[in-house]
Amino acid sequence: MSLSTPDLCDTNEGDVACAEINFFGYGQKAAFRGQIVTIKAFEDNSLVREAVAEPGAGKVLVVDGGGSRRRAMLGDLLAEKAANNHWEGIIINGVIRDVDEIDALNIGVRALGSHPMKTDKRGEGRRNIPVQFANITFTPGHFVYADNNGIVVSGHNLD
């Protein structure tokens, strides 16, 4: 099934939530979908590093970085690890770095923008908890769909 978030919204009206802001797209996958895995961490991507090292087929990593634009929650090395471990995509309420390198990878990434500064590595944050940003809740185990039109979340698989 090809992915179109407008079509998902039309055919599932009242059953989906749509992000109220559009994120910039990176990576070779313009559209991606999968079961939600979450991380909540502020300017520390230690948990992102752990997550992308795990098998990710059929999953999308959703990172609530608190909207920070001062430290990149994802760079080329972690994005490459995620692609190699078959993650469908990564959505970040924050920024990334190494944009050109990430654009060459077979993964979809959505973020608020880019910034060259890396994060601190303090091992802080929480994993697999509901996170909220863009006026929607991303609940672990639910499903997310992203394309160039936006991001849609559903409590069940729409495929």
Side-chain angles (χ1 to χ4, degrees):
M1 175 179 141
S2 67
L3 174 59
S4 166
T5 57
D7 289 348
L8 289 175
C9 289
D10 291 349
T11 59
N12 297 281
E13 191 170 352
D15 193 33
V16 296
C18 300
E20 289 191 358
I21 59 173
N22 206 355
F23 291 70
F24 291 99
Y26 306 95
Q28 291 183 352
K29 287 187 180 179
F32 57 91
R33 60 169 66 80
Q35 197 165 28
I36 296 170
V37 174
T38 65
I39 291 173
K40 184 175 183 73
F42 186 75
E43 296 183 358
D44 179 346
N45 70 353
S46 302
L47 293 180
V48 175
R49 177 180 304 279
E50 290 176 12
V52 299
E54 300 168 1
K59 299 176 187 174
V60 173
L61 183 61
V62 177
V63 180
D64 183 1
S68 174
R69 296 173 192 259
R70 300 182 308 192
R71 302 279 180 148
M73 294 295 287
L74 182 75
D76 61 336
L77 298 178
L78 296 186
E80 182 176 23
K81 188 173 282 198
N84 289 340
N85 285 318
H86 308 290
W87 285 85
E88 305 300 328
I90 302 172
I91 299 170
I92 299 177
N93 182 29
V95 294
I96 68 169
R97 67 189 212 156
D98 304 314
V99 168
D100 296 332
E101 292 82 356
I102 291 173
D103 278 343
L105 297 173
N106 186 29
I107 192 162
V109 176
R110 295 290 183 274
L112 298 177
S114 62
H115 191 281
M117 186 67 72
K118 67 180 180 178
T119 68
D120 294 326
K121 308 291 188 280
R122 301 179 306 271
E124 296 176 356
R126 296 179 64 196
R127 200 164 163 194
N128 290 324
I129 61 166
V131 297
Q132 292 182 313
F133 58 88
N135 206 34
I136 55 177
T137 300
F138 296 88
T139 302
H142 286 192
F143 293 83
V144 64
Y145 305 82
D147 66 8
N148 290 329
N149 295 290
I151 297 171
V152 174
V153 171
S154 174
H156 60 278
N157 191 346
L158 300 176
D159 289 333

